[in-house]
Amino acid sequence: MPATATTTSSSGSIKSLKDLLVGQLNELYAAEVHSESVLAKIASCTCSPRLAEAVRAHLEETKQHLARLDRVFGELGVKPRKSESHGSKGLLEDCETIAGRGRIEPHVRDAAIIASIQRLEHDEIAGYGCARTWASLLGHATAASELLKTLTEERRFDEALTKIAETLNKSALEPAGSSR
Ligand SMILES: [Fe+2]
């Protein structure tokens, strides 16, 4: 799927729980593809080596998330379709906008970057949590197991960001030049 996936609504064609699952998986797939470019941009612009390292590590995990989604689609016997949700597209665009703001004091911008990534991660956690539950209910045990692995990694990244924010937010309390 190209990174320029178009925003579409899949709700009109949902008639069953499997349709709902496939629609959710399509949206997660599009969000993961889009997030590859966004995470790379964030890792290159943060002034925190710790945040850059955590974001780069999650970028590598994102490649695994896409590979897992491919396996899940295979188990369900369907192919991924271009279907980026308005919500995740907006969250990803917010991350890019904040990362591109050069005039903000760097520590304050990093605090804002973490907040925007965490909103994105919470959206992914909700999406993978629902998809995993529906796959399990529909009897797709292997797919549910794959989705749980990704859900666990998304939660771990969110927790890591919270820990990094504890330090970064303190740095943002005293922006450069404020002591003059
Ligand atoms: Fe993620």
Side-chain angles (χ1 to χ4, degrees), residues 32 58 62 65 121 124 154 157:
E32 295 285 20
H58 195 60
T62 297
H65 298 173
E121 289 306 309
E124 289 183 333
E154 301 288 11
F157 181 46

Side-chain angles (χ1 to χ4, degrees), residues 83-103:
S83 181
E84 187 168 27
S85 79
H86 296 290
S88 64
K89 186 170 187 280
L91 291 169
L92 282 155
E93 287 174 350
D94 283 349
C95 288
E96 273 187 303
T97 301
I98 290 163
R101 280 189 187 158
R103 291 189 180 178

